[in-house]
Amino acid sequence: MLINVSPNYLYWHGKIQRVEEMHSPYFLAIVPSGMEAKDARNKVIRALGEDNRIKEIGDIGEYSSFWNPSIKRKVFKVYTKHPGNVPEMSDKVFKLGLYTAEHDIPYHERVLTDLAAKGKWIFDTEGREMKIKATIYDIEITKYGEERKPPIDIIGYSNLEISCISSKNLEDENFFFEIIDLPEDEGEVIQLVAENEHDEIKNLIEFTKIVASSDIISGHNIMGFDNLEIYERIKWLLQNSQILSREEMQHLKNFIDTYTKKDQSFHFGVANNVAIFYPSTFDTFHAARKFYALDEYSLDGVVNFLGVGVDSRLHLTPEKMAIDEQTLKYNEQDVIEEVRVFLNLVQQGLPLAFITGMPFELLFPSGATKMWDYMAMIRAAYHKKIM
């Protein structure tokens, strides 16, 4: 069951692997009419074979034309050592008199769609019942706005398991997905509380282990806030803390390098900083925007729409936040409501991610055109059609 791909790693169900062990960046070189395929390939080898940005010149194959599938084109793949080399190497091949294609596909999408075309499909259980581990969490920062990178004072979370069964047939494009078992309630809310920097480091290390052992990390607006604040705080601690041991420093650095990615999210052209936690980030803020037309997408707005609010709900302004019983209660109620929202939205999100082959953080901000384009890339790779 392939879960996701980051710039450097593949996240499988229960294991992690470097991307380069399974995939190399490439583009298609298309042989023009009137030119022999072997001659064209040899021309590229002579021109670029010694370039240290080129990893390999692939074998000649046959792809269907993009604009007329009845026409077959002779093509070969030009593999580069780094995704950033693809556009420039494509230009060089084009200047040799060949056509090129598929040089502008974002690399993580290239990896995911190529693996999907080979049968490595997101949330595919191959007809067997399988459990998905989900962690839903929320943080509290009592000094938010007072310090540049404020401490993470409280991390509240709940662990859940979802049982599902799925199968796919790429030739017939036949997909089956069913959730077999879903928790009926939010389960136990566990809270990690930090009175000082020693506590905070210990709590962050414990939480990063929970992230690494989960399949899905969820919460409301976690990409734009909770994930991002934890990411930024860990980076700050790595650079400024005087009390980190060598082992703690190595653990946190490994988490940042292996399980996170700082990125940008765009909504109507406006960019916002976000952080993705791997193996998979299910942000219920973005999921709610995907599935519902609401006036308000805050946690309160989504909770009220779904009717899953906590009785006697406590609300606190940032000024009233402290490491006390009131703030702990507020955090606990946040987690409970976020779990309830997650349990509603995951019933739509999981099947849609499976059918499209898209990870949540790519799927939820995408419009219909992006979804169709993504599925078209899978079809193109599967049927060897120039995209």
Side-chain angles (χ1 to χ4, degrees), residues 275-292:
I276 298 166
F277 282 0
Y278 296 98
S280 185
T281 295
F282 189 113
D283 192 323
T284 55
F285 170 73
H286 291 284
R289 292 204 310 190
K290 180 74 173 176
F291 297 122
Y292 306 131

Side-chain angles (χ1 to χ4, degrees), residues 42-82:
N42 288 336
K43 187 176 184 179
V44 172
I45 291 173
R46 286 194 300 271
L48 301 179
E50 300 300 319
D51 194 308
N52 59 13
R53 291 165 293 184
I54 297 293
K55 182 177 182 180
E56 180 186 357
I57 308 298
D59 295 331
I60 297 167
E62 194 171 70
Y63 271 52
S64 298
S65 164
F66 170 77
W67 64 275
N68 187 347
S70 65
I71 297 175
K72 303 297 180 182
R73 302 288 189 193
K74 295 295 182 182
V75 306
F76 54 90
K77 293 178 180 179
V78 179
Y79 296 91
T80 67
K81 292 182 179 178
H82 188 273

Side-chain angles (χ1 to χ4, degrees), residues 7-160:
N8 297 309
Y9 294 96
L10 298 172
Y11 305 90
W12 306 81
H13 192 69
K15 67 178 181 179
I16 185 170
Q17 189 174 359
R18 291 200 67 88
V19 169
E20 59 262 29
E21 295 176 14
M22 292 286 290
H23 194 277
S24 295
Y26 69 87
F27 60 92
L28 293 182
I30 307 168
V31 181
S33 301
M35 184 183 294
E36 288 292 330
K38 288 182 180 180
D39 294 340
R41 183 173 180 272
N42 288 336
K43 187 176 184 179
V44 172
I45 291 173
R46 286 194 300 271
L48 301 179
E50 300 300 319
D51 194 308
N52 59 13
R53 291 165 293 184
I54 297 293
K55 182 177 182 180
E56 180 186 357
I57 308 298
D59 295 331
I60 297 167
E62 194 171 70
Y63 271 52
S64 298
S65 164
F66 170 77
W67 64 275
N68 187 347
S70 65
I71 297 175
K72 303 297 180 182
R73 302 288 189 193
K74 295 295 182 182
V75 306
F76 54 90
K77 293 178 180 179
V78 179
Y79 296 91
T80 67
K81 292 182 179 178
H82 188 273
N85 301 142
V86 168
E88 185 179 359
M89 294 298 100
S90 173
D91 286 347
K92 288 183 177 295
V93 170
F94 183 76
K95 289 174 182 176
L96 293 174
L98 285 76
Y99 304 123
T100 62
E102 304 188 8
H103 47 263
D104 55 355
I105 296 172
Y107 186 55
H108 68 288
E109 295 181 28
R110 174 81 280 171
V111 176
L112 281 166
T113 54
D114 282 352
L115 291 175
K118 294 177 181 177
K120 305 278 192 287
W121 199 269
I122 291 176
F123 298 119
D124 180 17
T125 74
E126 298 180 343
R128 301 185 299 272
E129 183 176 345
M130 190 170 289
K131 294 185 182 299
I132 297 172
K133 297 178 182 178
T135 296
I136 297 86
Y137 86 104
D138 185 80
I139 66 169
E140 308 303 340
I141 298 174
T142 64
K143 298 180 179 65
Y144 192 75
E146 298 176 23
E147 299 182 22
R148 186 164 176 266
K149 300 298 177 191
I152 310 297
D153 299 303
I154 302 170
I155 305 175
Y157 68 92
S158 179
N159 292 323
L160 307 175

Side-chain angles (χ1 to χ4, degrees), residues 222-347:
I222 54 173
M223 286 172 60
F225 183 74
D226 306 73
N227 286 7
L228 189 61
E229 290 295 329
I230 288 178
Y231 174 91
E232 297 285 7
R233 180 60 178 173
I234 291 176
K235 295 276 282 189
W236 187 92
L237 288 169
L238 286 170
Q239 295 171 6
N240 299 280
S241 177
Q242 302 300 312
I243 64 172
L244 274 175
S245 69
R246 181 178 297 179
E247 291 77 14
E248 289 169 339
M249 186 174 293
Q250 183 58 45
H251 177 89
L252 293 175
K253 185 178 185 305
N254 179 69
F255 175 74
I256 290 294
D257 293 343
T258 309
Y259 290 97
T260 73
K261 177 189 175 186
K262 189 174 181 181
D263 206 345
Q264 287 192 319
S265 175
F266 293 87
H267 187 61
F268 291 108
V270 178
N272 296 291
N273 288 330
V274 298
I276 298 166
F277 282 0
Y278 296 98
S280 185
T281 295
F282 189 113
D283 192 323
T284 55
F285 170 73
H286 291 284
R289 292 204 310 190
K290 180 74 173 176
F291 297 122
Y292 306 131
L294 305 180
D295 294 328
E296 177 59 64
Y297 290 98
S298 66
L299 180 60
D300 281 348
V302 178
V303 163
N304 291 335
F305 172 73
L306 294 173
V308 294
V310 172
D311 292 336
S312 303
R313 180 67 160 101
L314 179 65
H315 291 279
L316 290 181
T317 61
E319 295 77 21
K320 294 183 178 180
M321 292 282 183
I323 304 175
D324 57 15
E325 290 302 317
Q326 184 174 243
T327 305
L328 285 168
K329 186 67 174 178
Y330 171 77
N331 174 259
E332 180 187 34
Q333 291 180 337
D334 265 354
V335 175
I336 289 171
E337 289 189 340
E338 289 178 24
V339 171
R340 293 176 180 178
V341 170
F342 170 76
L343 290 175
N344 273 270
L345 292 172
V346 78
Q347 297 179 64

